[in-house]
Amino acid sequence: MSIDVNNESGTEVDEQAILDIARYALTRMRIHPLSELSVIVIDEDAMEQLHIQWMDLPGPTDVMSFPMDELRPPAKDDEEPPQGLLGDIVLCPEVAKRQGEEAPTQHSMDEELQLLTVHGVLHLLGYDHEEPDEKAEMFGLQAAIVDGWRGERGITGPSPAPTVS
């Protein structure tokens, strides 16, 4: 799996953790091992420009996803996943820092960026959270992936992944 992480934000982030959790998420979702993903970390001004350009919404946001080949996880266990370009995930560490601090778990910017990376991967794979049933499915997967990744690394403490009841 080819995953590039480019930090253009000027903020120090744990790029290796972003790469590792992206790879874990794609493996867990059974995406073809030769698929390609790009993760770009940018500052608030650049994120605000993208947010206005693509969503027509003011202000910076935390994460944006730009799918390329619209790859989907295989529906059946014996189905082969297609190979292709997943697309781009764009992260904003300043927004992630504020969100982490304001979350009930008051987690770090890097933990929020890890959560947002998984969130972005799931959007690239066609998951959404507009409707309550979609949100429950996506956030359930998100929590399972984030918690599974943290568990394999022996990371303790409250999960940064929100739950949906």
Side-chain angles (χ1 to χ4, degrees):
M1 202 160 304
S2 173
I3 303 172
D4 290 324
V5 178
N6 294 311
N7 184 359
E8 302 171 0
S9 70
T11 300
E12 188 173 323
V13 302
D14 188 345
E15 296 173 35
Q16 188 62 50
I18 291 171
L19 180 106
D20 288 348
I21 201 165
R23 184 178 312 281
Y24 181 87
L26 295 173
T27 300
R28 182 128 175 200
M29 296 303 293
R30 300 186 51 233
I31 299 305
H32 196 284
L34 296 179
S35 296
E36 298 177 35
L37 170 68
S38 176
V39 181
I40 305 154
V41 184
I42 61 176
D43 65 23
E44 278 187 307
D45 291 339
M47 183 60 103
E48 183 172 13
Q49 290 174 8
L50 286 177
H51 203 209
I52 292 169
Q53 180 181 354
W54 293 99
M55 304 296 288
D56 199 25
L57 294 171
T61 189
D62 51 0
V63 58
M64 294 184 75
S65 298
F66 299 93
M68 293 292 286
D69 290 343
E70 298 188 5
L71 301 178
R72 299 292 181 260
K76 299 176 182 171
D77 288 344
D78 61 346
E79 187 178 323
E80 284 296 315
Q83 179 183 344
L85 299 174
L86 278 161
D88 299 331
I89 297 172
V90 183
L91 302 169
C92 183
E94 291 103 325
V95 175
K97 183 176 189 303
R98 283 194 299 274
Q99 286 183 174
E101 290 170 350
E102 294 168 2
T105 54
Q106 297 181 331
H107 50 267
S108 72
M109 174 193 71
D110 283 317
E111 289 175 307
E112 184 72 10
L113 289 171
Q114 294 152 18
L115 171 66
L116 294 171
T117 299
V118 173
H119 191 88
V121 164
L122 291 175
H123 273 309
L124 290 179
L125 296 175
Y127 290 90
D128 206 346
H129 47 83
E130 288 292 319
E131 301 298 326
D133 59 330
E134 294 173 334
K135 184 174 182 177
E137 180 183 22
M138 183 174 176
F139 279 45
L141 270 171
Q142 183 177 271
I145 292 168
V146 169
D147 293 348
W149 181 78
R150 289 169 55 90
E152 283 190 4
R153 280 147 189 81
I155 299 171
T156 59
S159 170
T163 56
V164 176
S165 53

